[in-house]
Amino acid sequence: MKTFTSLLFATGLLCVSVWGQATVWKGQHWEGQVLPNGCLQQLVFESSGRKDTIPFFTEGEHAGPSFYTEWNGQRTTAVWKPDGRGAFRAVLNEVECRLAYQQWNGLPALQVSLINHGNVPFQPTKAGLRLGVDTYMDKYPDWFGKYFPTLLRNEKTHFYGYLQSPGGGTLGLVSPDPIASWSVDYNLGYQDPAPHWFMGHRIESLNLDLMNALPLPDRHPQHLWQLKQGETKSWTIALVRIEDPTRMEETLHALTQLPLADLRQTTFRAQETATFQVFASSDARIAVTDQNGKELPVHTRWMGKDRWEADCRLPHAGLFTFQVTDYGRQAEGVLSAHATWQWTLERAREAALRYHQKATSHAESWYGFHSAFLAARYFPQTDIDRQLRERFDRLFQLLHTPSPLAPKFYASRIQNTSCTIGMLVDKYQAFGQEEDLRNAAALADWLIAKWQREDGAYMNHGIIYTSVIYVAKSILELSLAEQELGHRQPEWKAAAERHYASAKRAIDQLVASQGNFQTEGELTFEDGMISCSALQMGLLGLMQRDAAARQHYADAMLNILHSHDCLTQLRVPDARRRGGTLRFWEAQYDVQMLPNMFNSPHGWSGWRAYATYYAYLLTGEERWLQESYNATGAFSHLIDTDSGQLRWAFVIDPYLKVRQACSVDTHFTADSLSFGNPHPDLYETREFVIGEQYVNMISDWQTINTQDNDVHELFKFMGEAMLTNAFLVERPDGTLKGYNCTVERKGDKIIVRADEKQMVNLHCNLKKPYFVSFNGHQRKLASQYRGWAFGKDIYQP
């Protein structure tokens, strides 16, 4: 019978030598420098011809690893004192922390102990290590070598995760001991109005909270909230270079024997059988339960080499928890069965009416019209469609001058205009009124004449705004609609060519920038700046008929998209979060909640989903389609499958004391014009604890400009990529996989059945020749066929 003792707790000796003022801490293929203050200067891994340098803060409050505590909102960081060879100690509040730099299974490891020497229990809000890894991304190209906290995962019996750089380096973290929680320190931004602070757009440091007050998510250890008098608790924390992030779980399991789930697909349709893999011993037990705690039948297969495969039918739309138990170790995850895309979009339309669309300085506050018009196009309902159409017309008149057509307010916020262009295109496609397209074309002409620089960049005064939301994509969406009319009307053909040429110039400027992009607000390696640049390159690539031009834009997009992996939840075993991007400064504007927190998925997570969808169509690599599908499933669960209620975002931080505005601004109504970002502290607030949970919308009750309606970007993406499309993939081993459809092979014939009636397009990605049947029609497809076999390629009308 396997035990963990010999592997997990056999600690190697520290190999040190003194070099200048730093102590060299080294093992095979790695080396670190420990400064006299007990903190790390850097950690270098070198193997397989690659050298990765992990930078650390070396001074100031973020230097680490350092012992810190938090009491009543006040944080204190201790100063280390030498305590022998490669060891240090510090004391805060009569609690002693001992740190030793050691080796563990050949890995660099921190051995940490907390000892309560006091006369009463130690019950901090938080206590643990400021890890010290330099996560501060403030300028190009330096940020390519910084490490972002991409995944941090607390289980009841252990901890794991990784930090990743845009340049591709990946630093794994793993502990065989339970760690209560984790947190990051977000920077402050600016005062508006004084003395009220908005939060910034950067992360200053990462903390491993060995102890943390309750409540914590149920999956976390629940006993690490206090240290009794005379009690000692110890932890081993190893730092691991992960050469291939797609094998992160396999790598960590091989080193630790900890049970870890390896989920490639996290979302499924209702009544589909979910298949997933687990790294664990042959004696492991795998269970799946529904939201009521009812255990579902699970079929497991032992694959050998510490790998299990499990199948479980998900009987209805909802979320399902799986648990792996292996010799006292426990790991959990979440699978999802999504509601139909039709049901989801119809609930999004209802939410666009309930959570008021408001005329403000920010397009995010009227973003729900995307869902409204997409639902009207595919699933018309007279009464609600009329109400939302009238609401849009009223806001459009409030925000624009009629002749010449132009925005009345905040004209330099060109993303407001580009978003409105996209909504007008959606409205035209829903109701067929050419006047909507004329308004969109007039606004595009105004934007191009006023705000496009000679080199093609769309500007907000001195800052390039092409990738603030996606100005060029909105103009390309207009151009595609104009091309349709251009087959019959020359004026629309000319308009389509004019607008396409403008958007192409802007995207060519992005390609030439090679990642040196600009964005709104504080410059950083910013989620939207990167994903919106990638998606616009990808969309333009899809519109190219010339193979070389198509490849040119595909290559440029993939280079940017790969760097964005560090900002995305690609390995988290939780369908609620999979594919979410790691934004963290939106809550203060969207739902009047402080401080910063990871909002993932958030409405702007849809931007990466467009990019991965385009990447699949351009390359045929299933990875990108699977990422898009998983992300769409996560997005769909922002609408509760039981109540139909829309939530704004999912917050992944495990423990946050937040404060949120709870009083209505009585100077405005939802029908008023309102501008700027009203600070939450201008209103009555309430303080409470949240952690790993959905956060509700507030635009149903708050009258002033709030921007929670940006969540509708996710349903706009769903409408473009998943609502009407099914996908057939033949994998390298010859197996067939369907997304949004079921697949049956009979010899050289494949029968594809769409999951929903509005799915009229089928994209095929096949190795061999087949007869393919879909929606009562059949085609013979040649080998190596990749494209839209049924329906039409909407990117090349």
Side-chain angles (χ1 to χ4, degrees):
M1 182 176 182
K2 278 191 180 179
T3 67
F4 287 86
T5 306
S6 61
L7 179 60
L8 297 184
F9 301 103
T11 304
L13 296 176
L14 176 69
C15 178
V16 298
S17 60
V18 176
W19 181 76
Q21 290 189 329
T23 299
V24 179
W25 172 44
K26 66 185 300 183
Q28 189 176 18
H29 305 308
W30 60 269
E31 180 178 303
Q33 282 80 42
V34 182
L35 297 171
N37 65 2
C39 300
L40 278 169
Q41 181 175 1
Q42 65 178 21
L43 182 61
V44 180
F45 293 90
E46 187 168 9
S47 64
S48 302
R50 180 185 173 102
K51 183 176 181 179
D52 289 325
T53 299
I54 317 298
F56 282 72
F57 292 106
T58 57
E59 57 185 10
E61 63 176 324
H62 302 303
S66 296
F67 175 46
Y68 91 104
T69 62
E70 180 181 329
W71 297 75
N72 300 319
Q74 298 298 313
R75 290 190 176 184
T76 305
T77 303
V79 175
W80 293 117
K81 296 180 179 179
D83 191 33
R85 192 181 185 193
F88 301 85
R89 61 184 295 274
V91 178
L92 290 173
N93 306 109
E94 297 184 293
V95 171
E96 179 183 7
C97 180
R98 295 178 181 173
L99 169 67
Y101 291 95
Q102 299 186 342
Q103 290 192 48
W104 178 78
N105 295 338
L107 301 169
L110 311 174
Q111 184 69 43
V112 185
S113 295
L114 296 181
I115 309 159
N116 184 1
H117 296 298
N119 297 319
V120 296
F122 176 58
Q123 297 179 358
T125 305
K126 295 176 180 290
L129 291 183
R130 290 184 183 271
L131 195 58
V133 175
D134 185 352
T135 60
Y136 197 70
M137 297 176 165
D138 61 342
K139 59 185 178 181
Y140 172 92
D142 293 5
W143 55 46
F144 288 105
K146 301 296 182 74
Y147 279 71
F148 193 89
T150 308
L151 174 64
L152 303 165
R153 185 76 175 171
N154 301 86
E155 303 283 2
K156 275 189 166 54
T157 57
H158 57 279
F159 169 88
Y160 71 98
Y162 65 93
L163 296 86
Q164 193 171 43
S165 73
T170 305
L171 175 68
L173 301 175
V174 64
S175 176
D177 307 298
I179 292 176
S181 187
W182 59 265
S183 57
V184 297
D185 294 334
Y186 304 102
N187 72 318
L188 284 175
Y190 57 96
Q191 290 186 357
D192 184 21
H196 304 298
W197 280 90
F198 279 110
M199 303 293 291
H201 295 192
R202 299 169 185 157
I203 292 175
E204 295 188 329
S205 63
L206 164 65
N207 309 310
L208 299 183
D209 299 320
L210 307 176
M211 299 180 62
N212 203 99
L214 299 177
L216 287 170
D218 290 343
R219 190 191 69 259
H220 287 229
Q222 302 294 307
H223 65 287
L224 294 173
W225 57 277
Q226 74 168 344
L227 194 65
K228 297 177 181 178
Q229 303 96 310
E231 187 177 7
T232 299
K233 292 186 184 297
S234 297
W235 295 263
T236 297
I237 302 160
L239 297 87
V240 186
R241 181 195 185 185
I242 297 177
E243 296 190 22
D244 181 357
T246 67
R247 300 179 63 187
M248 182 267 295
E249 300 85 358
E250 182 179 357
T251 300
L252 295 184
H253 174 76
L255 291 167
T256 67
Q257 298 299 295
L258 295 170
L260 294 170
D262 184 11
L263 274 64
R264 303 304 166 96
Q265 184 173 339
T266 53
T267 196
F268 304 84
R269 64 180 174 273
Q271 301 184 36
E272 185 178 0
T273 296
T275 299
F276 60 98
Q277 293 191 348
V278 169
F279 291 101
S281 78
S282 59
D283 292 322
R285 181 180 183 274
I286 302 170
V288 179
T289 56
D290 66 15
Q291 288 171 273
N292 297 317
K294 178 184 176 182
E295 192 163 326
L296 304 179
V298 179
H299 175 69
T300 59
R301 293 180 297 281
W302 175 245
M303 311 291 287
K305 297 184 179 179
D306 278 8
R307 186 190 293 263
W308 286 92
E309 188 167 78
D311 293 332
C312 179
R313 179 177 172 274
L314 307 181
H316 52 76
L319 297 168
F320 302 84
T321 300
F322 69 84
Q323 187 177 96
V324 184
T325 306
D326 191 17
Y327 294 114
R329 302 280 170 169
Q330 181 176 303
E332 288 189 2
V334 177
L335 303 168
S336 104
H338 67 80
T340 66
W341 305 138
Q342 175 179 348
W343 182 91
T344 304
L345 188 56
E346 288 177 332
R347 301 295 81 74
R349 170 173 54 189
E350 292 169 2
L353 192 62
R354 175 180 176 181
Y355 301 103
H356 305 297
Q357 309 306 303
K358 293 175 282 190
T360 76
S361 51
H362 291 68
E364 295 93 321
S365 67
W366 70 84
Y367 224 90
F369 289 119
H370 281 302
S371 296
F373 298 148
L374 284 167
R377 177 181 178 182
Y378 294 106
F379 316 113
Q381 292 186 13
T382 303
D383 184 54
I384 192 170
D385 290 341
R386 175 187 56 77
Q387 293 180 68
L388 286 163
R389 189 177 178 182
E390 290 175 353
R391 181 71 177 173
F392 176 87
D393 291 344
R394 182 179 186 280
L395 267 59
F396 187 78
Q397 292 166 8
L398 282 173
L399 293 169
H400 296 87
T401 59
S403 184
L405 188 62
K408 285 183 183 179
F409 314 102
Y410 292 84
S412 65
R413 285 183 55 85
I414 62 171
Q415 71 269 41
N416 291 347
T417 298
S418 63
C419 288
T420 303
I421 289 169
M423 292 174 199
L424 285 165
V425 172
D426 288 343
K427 187 167 180 269
Y428 160 73
Q429 291 174 332
F431 302 110
Q433 298 299 309
E434 202 168 302
E435 181 64 23
D436 289 321
L437 206 60
R438 294 190 184 279
N439 286 337
L443 287 176
D445 289 338
W446 170 85
L447 191 157
I448 292 164
K450 178 79 174 173
W451 299 106
Q452 189 165 28
R453 201 167 65 182
E454 185 176 344
D455 67 353
Y458 296 120
M459 306 296 295
N460 179 341
H461 297 293
I463 304 173
I464 298 174
Y465 259 45
T466 305
S467 295
V468 177
I469 305 186
Y470 40 62
V471 179
K473 172 175 163 60
S474 294
I475 294 176
L476 287 177
E477 290 172 350
L478 169 63
S479 176
L480 286 165
E482 291 170 330
Q483 286 183 50
E484 290 281 352
L485 284 176
H487 295 309
R488 303 185 303 274
Q489 302 178 46
E491 63 174 295
W492 283 117
K493 183 175 185 294
E497 292 172 351
R498 180 172 71 250
H499 295 143
Y500 170 82
S502 170
K504 182 178 184 300
R505 286 173 54 224
I507 295 170
D508 284 339
Q509 190 276 329
L510 289 178
V511 173
S513 297
Q514 296 185 337
N516 188 10
F517 306 129
Q518 296 179 10
T519 190
E520 180 182 42
E522 190 172 38
L523 187 61
T524 187
F525 189 76
E526 196 266 320
D527 166 38
M529 176 182 76
I530 307 302
S531 59
C532 285
S533 296
L535 78 87
Q536 292 179 110
M537 296 173 190
L539 178 56
L540 184 60
L542 287 170
M543 297 176 71
Q544 306 307 303
R545 296 188 182 277
D546 178 75
R550 193 178 178 96
Q551 191 64 49
H552 167 71
Y553 291 111
D555 291 343
M557 176 197 68
L558 291 172
N559 184 49
I560 300 302
L561 191 52
H562 282 299
S563 74
H564 190 270
D565 285 356
C566 67
L567 302 181
T568 312
Q569 298 188 80
L570 297 177
R571 307 304 303 175
V572 65
D574 188 337
R576 298 171 299 176
R577 300 161 49 182
R578 192 66 167 260
T581 59
L582 293 159
R583 299 190 70 81
F584 49 88
W585 58 90
E586 302 289 357
Q588 57 195 340
Y589 308 119
D590 291 4
V591 291
Q592 295 192 310
M593 184 185 287
L594 287 167
N596 271 356
M597 63 198 73
F598 279 122
N599 320 132
S600 183
H602 172 273
W604 299 155
S605 295
W607 296 336
R608 179 184 170 96
Y610 289 112
T612 56
Y613 174 55
Y614 300 153
Y616 175 69
L617 296 180
L618 285 166
T619 68
E621 293 181 26
E622 189 185 357
R623 167 200 168 170
W624 303 117
L625 177 60
Q626 194 168 75
E627 285 187 21
S628 303
Y629 188 76
N630 285 338
T632 312
F635 302 163
S636 73
H637 284 283
L638 287 169
I639 297 179
D640 183 83
T641 53
D642 293 327
S643 68
Q645 178 183 348
L646 174 65
R647 286 80 67 93
W648 160 71
F650 191 86
V651 171
I652 73 170
D653 302 66
Y655 180 95
L656 280 170
K657 282 191 175 180
V658 301
R659 64 185 188 277
Q660 185 177 27
C662 60
S663 62
V664 174
D665 191 309
T666 57
H667 299 92
F668 295 83
T669 72
D671 294 325
S672 306
L673 286 165
S674 61
F675 302 135
N677 292 306
H679 195 282
D681 287 336
L682 297 175
Y683 305 90
E684 182 182 358
T685 62
R686 291 286 183 271
E687 186 175 273
F688 49 97
V689 174
I690 65 171
E692 204 170 281
Q693 67 183 71
Y694 292 104
V695 171
N696 289 334
M697 302 279 287
I698 69 169
S699 282
D700 53 334
W701 60 264
Q702 182 56 283
T703 57
I704 198 75
N705 176 23
T706 52
Q707 295 155 39
D708 49 347
N709 274 301
D710 53 13
V711 66
H712 288 275
E713 181 70 85
L714 305 179
F715 309 115
K716 179 179 185 290
F717 163 75
M718 184 184 296
E720 178 177 339
M722 295 292 163
L723 184 68
T724 62
N725 301 329
F727 303 89
L728 170 62
V729 180
E730 184 178 11
R731 290 172 168 164
D733 65 0
T735 59
L736 298 176
K737 170 66 178 177
Y739 293 87
N740 286 338
C741 58
T742 58
V743 178
E744 180 183 4
R745 175 163 47 192
K746 294 182 177 180
D748 63 351
K749 182 177 181 180
I750 302 173
I751 302 169
V752 181
R753 299 179 179 87
D755 288 348
E756 301 179 40
K757 64 180 182 299
Q758 77 281 353
M759 293 174 177
V760 296
N761 307 312
L762 177 65
H763 186 279
C764 293
N765 184 0
L766 300 172
K767 310 288 184 192
K768 303 171 187 175
Y770 289 100
F771 290 93
V772 177
S773 171
F774 178 70
N775 283 352
H777 301 280
Q778 181 171 293
R779 280 189 64 185
K780 182 179 182 180
L781 302 181
S783 62
Q784 306 304 314
Y785 183 93
R786 192 175 82 230
W788 295 98
F790 297 88
K792 71 170 188 175
D793 185 344
I794 62 171
Y795 306 107
Q796 293 187 1

